[in-house]
Amino acid sequence: MGTKEIVTGNYAQSYAAKLARVDVISAYPITPQTTIVEKIAEFVAEGKLDADFIKVESEHSALQACLSASAVGARTYTATSSQGLLLMHELLFWAAGQRAPVVMGVVNRAVAPPWSIWTDHTDTMAQRDTGWIQVYCESNQEVLDTTLMAFRFAEREDVRLPAMVTEDAFYLSHTMESVDIPRQDEVDAWLPRRPRSHILEIGKIGRLGSFMGPDLYMEFRYTIAQAMEQARRAILETEAEFESRFKRSHGGFVEPYRCDGADAVLVTMGTATSTAREVVDSLREKGRKVGLAKLRVFRPFPAKEVRELAGLADRIGVLDRSYGFGYGGPAYLEVAGTLAGGPRKPLLRDFIGGLGGRDLTPPVIEGMFDALLAGNGDGDEVTWPDLHRAEEGV
Amino acid sequence: MPVLEIRFHGRGGQGSVIAAEILARAAFKEGKNVQSFPFFGVERRGAPVTAFSRISDRPIRLRTSITTPDIVIVLDPALLKTVPVTAGAKPGGLLLVNTERTPDRVGIPFDGRVATVDATAIATAHGLGSPTQPIVNTAVLGAFAKASAVVRIESVVAAIKESVPAKWDENAAAAEDAYEKVLIATEAVA
Amino acid sequence: MTRKPLRYVEDIPGGPFATVPTNEEGTAGWRTIRPVIHLEKCTRCNVCWKFCPDVAIDFDSEGFPVVLLDFCKGCGICANECVPKAITMEREE
């Protein structure tokens, strides 16, 4: 057993990077990520973490420093948020193409303009095509555990893909709550050193980042797609190993909550899941048959598990904490697209909410269940509940 | 116990956010589940700051701002006139104010118990902060322990020693002093 | 060095890594004109070496520049920058 301490979600990331014995950290400060890296810098300065801390002038440089270190075999970590993640965008593709198992903590923060320091998922949703594994967390314990697990599944020989572990700004990043911090020796026994394969080494000829024509580029991208497919099994196996040693699990890819006999299920991500559990309990007490499904791993997208949801309820709603100008929000798109190819066709609804730190309160979430239960196929498929409109009575 | 929701109001630089942390640590030491976080606005000294704590015997899953607090704690009495500190407060709760006034003279309506403590004087007497900017958070927490009976003063003192950056003994003494001196009115104040 | 040609998904190495060093990939075929250094005018100032974008100029034992014809792409920058105008660009045969 580790030690129970009260820490913020940000410090949970810092402890995970320290326990994972990262070799190289490079990051650039941005609210609300800054304390993650400040804490890591303290660990390094105090000799508690034997790592190289590379100070850089931007997030783009931070990820590049990590990629270069990763290319020669280092275990690397970085963290960012919002505008910083956007600035890294081209290098996110590099990381996956280079097959660098960088682990990155992202504090989900809305994107400008207008400037916002509060939470929504736009920043990481906008990176879903880059080839990174993406996991969304609902508690500080989950942030710490998932970051530790990320080093393991990202570095597996059959995966070798970068991974981002996300936490909602302020609701997790700056919220102090009890977290069990594993002991170093326990983590050492579970997390192996990064395998030294597919790296550049002194004394061996090697070139990284070659040129490739139309005759072979597609085949190369296919190998990355295969790696992401292999990540499915890798993630589940890693979680099983973690659970058997540390006795904790956070739901795998999709975690249904009280969906037995449900008339309606709401799919949620991040801290909205945590609040929605309270709403489900209170509605169930009133005799309403509702459930929720925590969508935890967004990449690789859990198509199989999402299709199983269609077997649990006839009405499925998705709470999108971002908007991508597609056919609804990004989570809805992927859920709806997955279900379109499946055997069952539940009624689907998309709820855009919680943008820019707008609080997702129990009444707002309850309203989503109401809308889901009331609809009969007509009415808007995509709605923005809790939008402040100058309508009568609103 | 159902989830207890507490809201702190102060000004940037008075230690409101750390007050919420210390409270969380104190409750944690007593084996309770806690959740403590600031409302992040534009940070600068002197700007109003709000911080929140939730305390419960069960795991706390609600992750929203606190809009209907059971307990409101005001670290700076000038805020009573400029910030709606009691907005949304649940009826029958507790309002604790750092002021030299007695509870019946606090001057704002509140449907619940009112407690007051001159934390400014106590902090100054123990040499915390400067005369123009005393650090009142630890004294306020000592008063809170007595007025609310949510945490014991021993837990508060132990948490203070872990949370404050300096003057541990003075901060602890200020808390204990406020614990003795807090005035609690038992009737609702109109 | 003969390279195994990559044609199939199964041939793709586990990352964008190549093990053929760049000094085995000549770029002489890019040229249509080549630099000719007239040593009687050369002052061994090294400017041509400094400006060559392909590091395709080396030095002989006396310090005179020598064009590495396996790598020279015929861009003409050396001739343009040469201080005593000792380099002319001439058509490849």
Side-chain angles (χ1 to χ4, degrees):
Chain A
M1 271 307 280
T3 51
K4 270 202 188 303
E5 303 217 14
I6 330 188
V7 292
T8 58
N10 276 1
Y11 282 4
Q13 295 250 13
S14 318
Y15 280 108
K18 172 172 165 290
L19 288 166
R21 297 191 188 271
V22 293
D23 297 310
V24 171
I25 303 116
S26 185
Y28 190 82
I30 179 170
T31 299
Q33 150 265 37
T34 320
T35 54
I36 300 179
V37 192
E38 280 179 359
K39 195 62 165 169
I40 294 178
E42 262 181 47
F43 290 148
V44 173
E46 290 168 357
K48 292 178 181 169
L49 171 60
D50 179 19
D52 278 309
F53 192 105
I54 306 178
K55 295 192 285 285
V56 287
E57 73 279 20
S58 81
E59 287 86 350
H60 186 278
S61 300
L63 185 55
Q64 182 59 73
C66 288
L67 292 182
S68 304
S70 194
V72 296
R75 174 172 283 167
T76 65
Y77 175 83
T78 186
T80 190
S81 178
S82 179
Q83 312 303 127
L85 184 63
L86 271 47
L87 189 57
M88 283 178 179
H89 186 68
E90 68 151 344
L91 289 180
L92 295 176
F93 289 93
W94 251 103
Q98 180 184 315
R99 306 290 296 277
V102 177
V103 172
M104 171 158 69
V106 181
V107 183
N108 280 125
R109 169 187 143 179
V111 303
W115 287 110
S116 165
I117 55 171
W118 295 278
T119 200
D120 73 34
H121 297 160
T122 308
D123 53 1
T124 51
M125 280 297 174
Q127 316 307 329
R128 63 196 192 275
D129 295 336
T130 55
W132 282 62
I133 294 169
Q134 295 185 314
V135 187
Y136 288 76
C137 302
E138 74 173 293
S139 72
N140 291 353
Q141 184 72 66
E142 184 173 6
V143 168
L144 189 149
D145 293 346
T146 306
T147 305
L148 275 178
M149 287 192 267
F151 288 103
R152 177 81 186 106
F153 55 67
E155 289 173 3
R156 275 174 53 141
E157 183 63 37
D158 53 342
V159 177
R160 289 179 300 114
L161 287 175
M164 56 176 83
V165 178
T166 83
E167 44 166 326
D168 285 337
F170 304 113
Y171 292 117
L172 290 187
S173 68
H174 285 64
T175 293
M176 297 187 73
E177 59 184 22
S178 168
V179 171
D180 187 291
I181 301 178
R183 290 193 327 258
Q184 184 69 68
D185 61 295
E186 291 179 313
V187 175
D188 289 341
W190 165 76
L191 182 66
R193 297 299 303 152
R194 179 181 164 193
R196 291 190 70 73
S197 67
H198 303 284
I199 58 176
L200 299 172
E201 292 180 278
I202 291 176
K204 295 191 185 164
I205 291 172
R207 251 194 301 167
L208 172 60
S210 306
F211 191 77
M212 201 168 257
D215 56 325
L216 222 43
Y217 180 90
M218 210 161 94
E219 284 65 26
F220 186 78
R221 293 299 284 174
Y222 184 79
T223 62
I224 307 178
Q226 282 183 312
M228 187 59 91
E229 285 304 308
Q230 279 150 205
R232 291 179 199 283
R233 197 178 71 168
I235 291 169
L236 288 175
E237 285 178 3
T238 301
E239 306 231 327
E241 288 160 20
F242 189 90
E243 186 175 5
S244 90
R245 182 175 286 273
F246 297 99
K247 313 290 183 252
R248 284 193 298 272
S249 164
H250 298 285
F253 283 89
V254 173
E255 185 193 47
Y257 180 70
R258 302 192 76 172
C259 290
D260 294 338
D263 295 323
V265 167
L266 185 66
V267 178
T268 57
M269 301 178 70
T271 54
T273 305
S274 187
T275 303
R277 293 179 194 275
E278 288 283 311
V279 177
V280 165
D281 282 354
S282 98
L283 288 176
R284 281 274 185 178
E285 252 169 67
K286 294 178 198 160
R288 305 183 70 193
K289 302 213 227 110
V290 297
L292 78 81
K294 170 182 177 177
L295 178 50
R296 178 166 173 265
V297 178
F298 197 73
R299 284 291 184 268
F301 190 75
K304 174 166 90 72
E305 292 79 359
V306 167
R307 287 201 177 149
E308 282 164 14
L309 285 181
L312 294 176
D314 291 330
R315 291 154 185 268
I316 298 183
V318 179
L319 170 43
D320 260 302
R321 202 164 198 162
S322 68
Y323 190 64
F325 305 93
Y327 185 70
Y332 182 68
L333 265 173
E334 308 239 355
V335 168
T338 300
L339 293 177
R344 291 195 176 82
K345 303 280 186 282
L347 177 84
L348 294 173
R349 284 291 177 269
D350 186 20
F351 303 106
I352 311 291
L355 304 187
R358 176 71 60 81
D359 218 1
L360 285 168
T361 60
V364 168
I365 295 174
E366 199 172 310
M368 294 175 189
F369 279 113
D370 288 340
L372 204 45
L373 287 166
N376 45 6
D378 48 356
D380 292 330
E381 195 176 336
V382 181
T383 54
W384 298 52
D386 196 36
L387 197 64
H388 296 165
R389 265 201 227 268
E391 280 169 351
E392 292 172 62
V394 173
Chain B
M1 64 190 284
V3 179
L4 194 69
E5 298 186 312
I6 300 156
R7 192 168 69 206
F8 295 78
H9 291 276
R11 284 191 198 281
Q14 285 179 328
S16 316
V17 176
I18 296 198
E21 277 180 31
I22 295 173
L23 177 56
R25 268 190 214 287
F28 177 65
K29 282 179 188 305
E30 292 183 14
K32 301 196 173 74
N33 294 95
V34 297
Q35 187 191 88
S36 169
F37 53 103
F39 175 76
F40 245 73
V42 180
E43 294 277 89
R44 59 178 169 82
R45 281 204 181 278
V49 165
T50 312
F52 306 100
S53 291
R54 286 189 168 98
I55 301 178
S56 174
D57 288 333
R58 292 172 295 132
I60 300 168
R61 298 179 304 181
L62 210 56
R63 293 185 186 278
T64 59
S65 287
I66 293 179
T67 50
T68 56
D70 298 289
I71 300 175
V72 175
I73 302 175
V74 182
L75 282 81
D76 187 327
L79 293 176
L80 293 175
K81 296 196 207 73
T82 54
V83 174
V85 297
T86 58
K90 295 194 188 76
L94 170 68
L95 170 66
L96 169 61
V97 185
N98 165 27
T99 174
E100 50 189 9
R101 299 185 187 202
T102 53
D104 56 312
R105 311 278 312 278
V106 153
I108 56 168
F110 184 72
D111 180 7
R113 292 182 306 134
V114 178
T116 62
V117 64
D118 192 351
T120 304
I122 294 171
T124 310
H126 288 274
L128 300 171
S130 69
T132 45
Q133 182 79 353
I135 309 286
V136 300
N137 57 359
T138 47
V140 168
L141 284 168
F144 171 82
K146 182 74 172 295
S148 71
V150 167
V151 284
R152 294 189 303 271
I153 185 64
E154 295 83 8
S155 309
V156 170
V157 165
I160 283 172
K161 291 190 172 167
E162 280 173 24
S163 306
V164 300
K167 295 195 170 177
W168 300 274
D169 292 332
E170 290 88 334
N171 273 294
E176 282 161 342
D177 204 357
Y179 183 85
E180 299 303 328
K181 291 190 175 141
V182 61
L183 301 170
I184 306 165
T186 47
E187 292 148 10
V189 174
Chain C
M1 175 175 173
T2 49
R3 271 181 275 169
K4 173 179 165 255
L6 304 181
R7 289 178 58 198
Y8 304 113
V9 168
E10 292 77 9
D11 298 332
I12 303 289
F17 291 95
T19 52
V20 176
T22 48
N23 64 359
E24 291 185 22
E25 293 190 284
T27 46
W30 295 48
R31 259 195 333 263
T32 53
I33 50 175
R34 67 163 67 178
V36 174
I37 303 179
H38 303 278
L39 294 178
E40 66 279 10
K41 290 188 185 167
C42 176
T43 61
R44 291 183 285 185
C45 67
N46 299 343
V47 164
C48 58
W49 165 84
K50 217 174 273 187
F51 275 85
C52 174
D54 284 320
V55 200
I57 292 184
D58 203 347
F59 298 105
D60 65 18
S61 53
E62 291 167 10
F64 283 100
V66 172
V67 179
L68 303 175
L69 289 169
D70 281 339
F71 300 102
C72 169
K73 294 199 190 101
C75 69
I77 287 175
C78 55
N80 191 57
E81 297 294 335
C82 174
V83 177
K85 296 291 162 227
I87 305 180
T88 54
M89 300 301 294
E90 290 168 25
R91 287 294 301 269
E92 286 283 319
E93 250 63 322

